[in-house]
Amino acid sequence: VQLQASGGGLVQAGGSLRLSCAASGSDFSTHTMRWYRQAPGKERDLVAAITSGGSTNYADSVKGRFTISRDNAKKTVYLQMSDLKPEDTAVYYCNRDGPWIAGTRYDYWGQGTQVTVSS
């Protein structure tokens, strides 16, 4: 499984961006897909998730501003980000759960895409 994230960039506060994450493999539609972000000097945090059935959940900090969606035919998950704030500046990663090996789950990660929001 490979995940290819794209769509990041530099935007002014209040602006919008849409991130995309294209996945390889034949079982995309059966897995929960997630977006995480990591700001400099901080831990990687979950931003949004969407299940195989389309249920979504969001971090409190992005509720009402970000929308996660998926297109199973294109094997792609999206993150529509609106009303962006400087504190949204981070590297954004897409994620899919991977196999369990000896009690540890080894997730699949995209390469990350930089989002920078200027004030």
Side-chain angles (χ1 to χ4, degrees):
V1 174
Q2 292 186 331
L3 303 175
Q4 182 72 37
S6 62
L10 173 64
V11 64
Q12 289 187 333
S16 300
L17 282 174
R18 188 177 82 155
L19 307 183
S20 301
C21 176
S24 65
S26 59
D27 57 354
F28 174 84
S29 63
T30 65
H31 289 271
T32 294
M33 299 297 297
R34 305 173 187 88
W35 284 99
Y36 285 77
R37 68 185 181 187
Q38 187 168 21
K42 296 188 177 181
E43 294 186 351
R44 190 172 296 188
D45 293 325
L46 178 65
V47 175
I50 184 166
T51 68
S52 59
S55 297
T56 59
N57 67 279
Y58 298 92
D60 287 344
S61 59
V62 306
K63 282 181 180 176
R65 300 188 298 121
F66 290 11
T67 302
I68 189 171
S69 61
R70 65 191 299 160
D71 184 331
N72 290 333
K74 295 183 178 180
K75 299 181 183 178
T76 300
V77 62
Y78 303 98
L79 186 69
Q80 178 67 49
M81 305 184 294
S82 302
D83 190 24
L84 283 161
K85 304 176 180 181
E87 52 263 42
D88 295 318
T89 295
V91 178
Y92 284 70
Y93 299 91
C94 54
N95 162 281
R96 203 209 84 175
D97 52 288
W100 286 89
I101 302 174
T104 300
R105 196 181 77 189
Y106 291 87
D107 284 1
Y108 300 104
W109 294 91
Q111 84 284 9
T113 185
Q114 176 71 46
V115 172
T116 303
V117 184
S118 63
S119 58

